[in-house]
Amino acid sequence: MSARGADDNITVLTAMEFNVSQPSIDVINALKSVLSENQVSTEASILESYGQDWTRFTQPAPLAVVFPRTTDEVADVVKFARAQDVALVPSGGRTGLSGGAVAANGEIVVSLDKLNTIHPVNNIDRTIRVGAGAITQTIQEAADEAGLFYPVDFASSGSSQIGGNIATNAGGINVIRYGMTREWVAGLTVVTGTGEVLELNRGLMKNNTGLDFRHLFIGSEGVLGFITEATLKLCSPPKDPTVLVLGLADMDAIMQVLQRIQATTPLLAYEFFSELAVSKVVEHAGVARPFETQTPFYALIEFERDGEETETVVFEAVEACMEEGWVLDAVMSQSVAQAKALWRLREDISETITRWTPYKNDISSTVSKVPQLLSAVDEVVHDHYPDWEVCWYGHIGDGNLHLNILKPDDLDISDFKARCGEVSIDIFKAIQALGGSVSAEHGVGTLKAPYLEYTRTESEIASMRAIKAIFDPDGIMNPGKIFTAD
Ligand code: MLT
Ligand code: ZN
């Protein structure tokens, strides 16, 4: 029996149809002696869901999925895989958007679901120790109960796991103020591709003792080993976060407004999205329009309302932007509920457009070069897809744009992916010319691996491969991710 993929585009084979060979069956049986029997699954539905992430471009085909409960069990699985010469794929909340957690070639998927302990907050160190499988939002809630704040946040925080956030150095909506995940990791426990367990930085604030391997594992997308536990830094929560949504006249206005408002008010977020994105969330997610005026682009700004004075300063800045003709309409939240409702305009976009199997480009430049990046990429996209729907949004205050090309109904997935891939080269050339990045925050995974050279030099890539060979001499850790196969 074939099971259909979540979006009905992917057919997943059962173990029988997958034609599991005798050596593979022997591997599965041997695996059951390393972990207990109920920690190893070959069920078709489990292989399907644990063998893919949110990209939906790959047909999942792992050999088995395992569920270790401790760091030592992860180490046992790695040693077993080395001996059997089987590849391993780490699996967190599977919310990735670059194919970093897909298993399409008979790998063993190692789920971190069971390593989800959240220890009590240490209020003196202002840290929290968590298992890699802990859900991001649950960690945020634990910090909140202790009067502290874990600031890395994004729409998928309710299902993403912290291990995956660290492995991809996740960004999100508050980077303009708090930086990326990297800034918030005080310590890591990892299992390398040799099965060795390393304690990296042990939660220390100060530790100048040579190379900091913690930072090698952050953003390494599982190619060096597994992150099994982390100590995270916490901070004080922001005061009365307030949201402002502005209707913008054109793309140029986006940066003018950022500059004008940031000149007087420190921002927690500066996000942008297009009218197409708004129309999709209004129609398909039941989100209310911010105001009646429809404008080509919108900015969502969050700031701390620290008394009436801040509000007056922000009002004056918005008025000045209206006089310039950059802002055509505006609304400001007056309560936490209103702020949340306005955030849905931005946060619901990604999930809403999954029904069009979007081809995602997650690109960046320095903030000052964003107008050039926007117009160069927009021109390429318009030239190639005059009739296709192209949905723009992103963390513009960080120089990060999300360009989503929506699949026309009459095109099948592989043709669509191939055509988008061709055009991506022109987009990547434009990014390269501006010194930008082909992956701002989603990671390289399998989708961007062929294009790494547009952001990193040949010698940098060779050095990265050499570092991988130190931690993963047998090349069993998440093959095909970041680097294309040799
Ligand atoms: C976002 O900013 O919404 C996320 O990075 C997800 C996406 O780009 O779709
Ligand atoms: Zn994003």
Side-chain angles (χ1 to χ4, degrees), residues 97 154 171-173 271 346 362 393-395 400 402 441-442:
L97 296 165
F154 26 74
I173 55 179
E271 300 283 316
R346 168 66 184 87
D362 160 45
Y393 53 94
H395 319 283
N400 181 181
H402 294 312
E441 62 169 3
H442 292 172

